[in-house]
Amino acid sequence: MSDGFNLDLRNAEEEIDVPESFDGSVVLGVLDGTTPDGEWLNEVHDGNVLLLAVDGDLNDLAAGFAGDVKDAGGTLMHFREFLVVAPPGVGVDADRL
């Protein structure tokens, strides 16, 4: 006597939505105004994710590159004292926050 269920995995692989591979790097840094905005933009354009500790006013510090990242389809998310900046095609999952 079985109370289990039937699980057919033959077609499971076709049903799974696998994200494209991430070929970039995760770049750790401090957003304090000493790094030129162009350097942060170059990192994102190269496909890298930025995890930046914010040291100062976030709006002022990110003003020089945030709009360009958003316009290109990237993502910016403020999490605690950090700014996460992801290039287009790299999702930031905040479901567990």
Side-chain angles (χ1 to χ4, degrees), residues 6-16:
N6 292 327
L7 183 61
D8 183 2
L9 296 176
R10 287 179 283 187
N11 297 321
E13 190 172 318
E14 295 172 8
E15 300 298 324
I16 296 174

Side-chain angles (χ1 to χ4, degrees), residues 5 8 21 25 46 56 80 83 88-89:
F5 55 91
D8 183 2
S21 64
S25 298
D46 288 344
R80 297 193 179 198
L83 178 64

Side-chain angles (χ1 to χ4, degrees), residues 20-86:
E20 294 180 27
S21 64
F22 173 63
D23 292 328
S25 298
V26 176
V27 176
L28 305 179
V30 178
L31 184 60
D32 60 2
T34 60
T35 302
D37 296 328
E39 286 187 32
W40 297 132
L41 277 173
N42 287 339
E43 291 290 348
V44 175
H45 288 304
D46 288 344
N48 297 322
V49 173
L50 306 177
L51 181 59
L52 305 174
V54 179
D55 186 11
D57 182 72
L58 174 61
N59 292 327
D60 289 340
L61 294 169
F65 64 89
D68 291 334
V69 171
K70 285 184 179 182
D71 290 345
T75 303
L76 293 103
M77 178 176 290
H78 186 212
F79 175 65
R80 297 193 179 198
E81 296 163 9
F82 297 92
L83 178 64
V84 179
V85 184

